[in-house]
Amino acid sequence: MAKSVAIKKKRAAGDDAQSQDAIFRGTSGGDATLNDATFKDKKSVRGTPNAALPAFILGEELANLADKDPRIAVLTADLANANRTNDFKRRHPDRFFNLGIAEKNMMTIAAGMASCGHVTYAATFASFCAILGAEQIKTDCAYPAMPVRLIGHHSGMSMGFYGTSHHALEDLAITRTIADLTVVCATDANHLRAILRASVDHPGAMYIRLGRGRDPEVYPEVPKSFRIGKAATLRKGDDMTIICCGSVVRASLDAADILAKRGISVRVIDMHTIKPLDAGAVRKAARETGAILTVEEHNVTGGLGTAVAEVLVEEDRIPFQRHGVPDEFVPVGPPAALYAHYKLNAEGIAKKAQTFLAKAGKH
């Protein structure tokens, strides 16, 4: 009984002391651990305006695009609240379709609609999109080059409490091996807007990877320079380059700030397009900084790090390391604690980078 009361008091204190970012990204200096009872999932939705949440501007932005383009249709697999495609439904109910918990059927239907002239956006959890629906993505969408945009939201380990069935740490490895499929990772809300706008007339099928929708801001405005297949250099540096994507871009920038205070100059590249990869940006970074660390919320096998390694293996050898989730199933826990556990928060990335440089004899 005494223990229960203590936990309740701790939770109450946590409501005041812990911001939403601290709970989900550890960005406010929280000390989340995998066994901390204060980090309950329901707390994560408090205190952040919808407009700042990538998953929550999805329906709004698609509705804005559909106002001017009658081809756009949206499908979801019983997740209209989770991905906010219900915002699209309210404005364009005749072009919104809830297929229920039948993700594979949703993708096939999206391909069929695309073959009839629609540009279809099919949204579900990343684990049920790229992993469960890999066959449909390959055969129904990519092979016939259908204008289907598959939205895999709540990617990586952002659904920490739901466990392995809901984690998507293999989706980039799967999708980047499917021929003629474009693969893009959204970094924040404004970045997602840019991706969606660029996707409307992009040829062939696409997989668009989103986080949980609570990713901290990287782009204060919709980036006008955004191009599918063209990486964005967000920070200049000379000692090494961090190449990252999606949910870990903000943490990588913060890590670069930490390292700058230690006299280490770090270039940070948002490699938002995993396929086609901007090989030119990789080669340029290799030539100019002489060391590359890739960072991703994904299994280190087959994802961004592997894609970058495939470019570097044909170049002059430089110090290179992949940083992500090791080849294992992650434990169940609050996302911020998982990021800290795998050193995918700012402090962890900074420590990984500094150790890497020391081993390479560069600092």
Side-chain angles (χ1 to χ4, degrees), residues 331-356:
V332 174
L338 292 173
Y339 298 136
H341 177 70
Y342 287 111
K343 295 181 172 58
L344 288 171
N345 55 4
E347 294 79 5
I349 294 169
K351 183 176 181 180
K352 196 82 174 180
Q354 193 162 10
T355 301
F356 162 58

Side-chain angles (χ1 to χ4, degrees), residues 73-360:
V74 172
L75 299 82
T76 191
D78 208 32
L79 289 172
N81 287 324
N83 55 36
R84 297 301 298 180
T85 51
N86 53 12
D87 292 336
F88 182 93
K89 177 183 179 181
R90 278 189 284 271
R91 290 167 57 183
H92 299 284
D94 57 329
R95 286 188 269 163
F96 176 83
F97 303 90
N98 184 356
L99 279 300
I101 306 175
E103 294 84 2
K104 294 180 180 181
N105 288 344
M106 177 183 69
M107 295 176 196
T108 298
I109 291 168
M113 292 176 66
S115 73
C116 297
H118 287 287
V119 178
T120 52
Y121 291 79
T124 187
F125 292 147
S127 57
F128 303 152
C129 184
I131 300 172
L132 181 65
E135 167 61 19
Q136 284 67 33
I137 295 175
K138 172 189 171 183
T139 306
D140 297 341
C141 302
Y143 175 53
M146 289 294 105
V148 176
R149 286 72 178 97
L150 300 147
I151 312 290
H153 53 83
H154 292 73
S155 64
M157 44 192 182
S158 63
M159 293 192 72
F161 285 108
Y162 294 83
T164 295
S165 65
H166 285 62
H167 296 165
L169 295 162
E170 308 85 5
D171 55 327
L172 295 179
I174 291 170
T175 53
R176 65 180 289 265
T177 62
I178 297 176
D180 296 331
L181 180 69
T182 299
V183 181
V184 185
C185 299
T187 299
D188 65 6
N190 284 324
H191 198 234
L192 176 57
R193 291 188 190 276
I195 291 170
L196 293 174
R197 294 171 191 179
S199 72
V200 176
D201 293 313
H202 189 76
M206 293 182 68
Y207 174 62
I208 302 174
R209 188 189 208 231
L210 312 184
R212 185 164 183 154
R214 291 157 181 82
D215 306 302
E217 182 181 275
V218 171
Y219 296 92
E221 299 177 344
V222 178
K224 295 180 180 179
S225 61
F226 174 82
R227 298 290 183 276
I228 293 172
K230 184 67 175 176
T233 299
L234 303 182
R235 183 187 177 103
K236 296 180 180 179
D238 301 317
D239 293 328
M240 69 171 294
T241 299
I242 293 177
I243 299 179
C244 48
C245 64
S247 63
V248 295
V249 174
R250 178 72 266 166
S252 296
L253 287 167
D254 293 344
D257 287 339
I258 293 171
L259 292 168
K261 295 175 182 177
R262 301 172 185 171
I264 301 172
S265 174
V266 179
R267 181 178 304 184
V268 178
I269 294 176
D270 181 0
M271 189 64 73
H272 48 73
T273 306
I274 308 300
K275 184 182 179 184
L277 191 83
D278 188 347
V282 174
R283 296 187 183 105
K284 187 172 187 289
R287 289 194 306 269
E288 295 178 354
T289 68
I292 291 178
L293 175 72
T294 58
V295 181
E296 59 191 313
E297 187 183 343
H298 187 274
N299 191 307
V300 292
T301 303
L304 170 63
T306 300
V308 171
E310 289 168 359
V311 175
L312 293 175
V313 75
E314 298 176 356
E315 304 295 314
D316 292 336
R317 298 302 171 89
I318 64 163
F320 168 74
Q321 186 169 325
R322 296 173 298 171
H323 178 40
V325 178
D327 192 19
E328 65 185 40
F329 294 112
V330 306
V332 174
L338 292 173
Y339 298 136
H341 177 70
Y342 287 111
K343 295 181 172 58
L344 288 171
N345 55 4
E347 294 79 5
I349 294 169
K351 183 176 181 180
K352 196 82 174 180
Q354 193 162 10
T355 301
F356 162 58
L357 284 178
K359 288 183 178 179

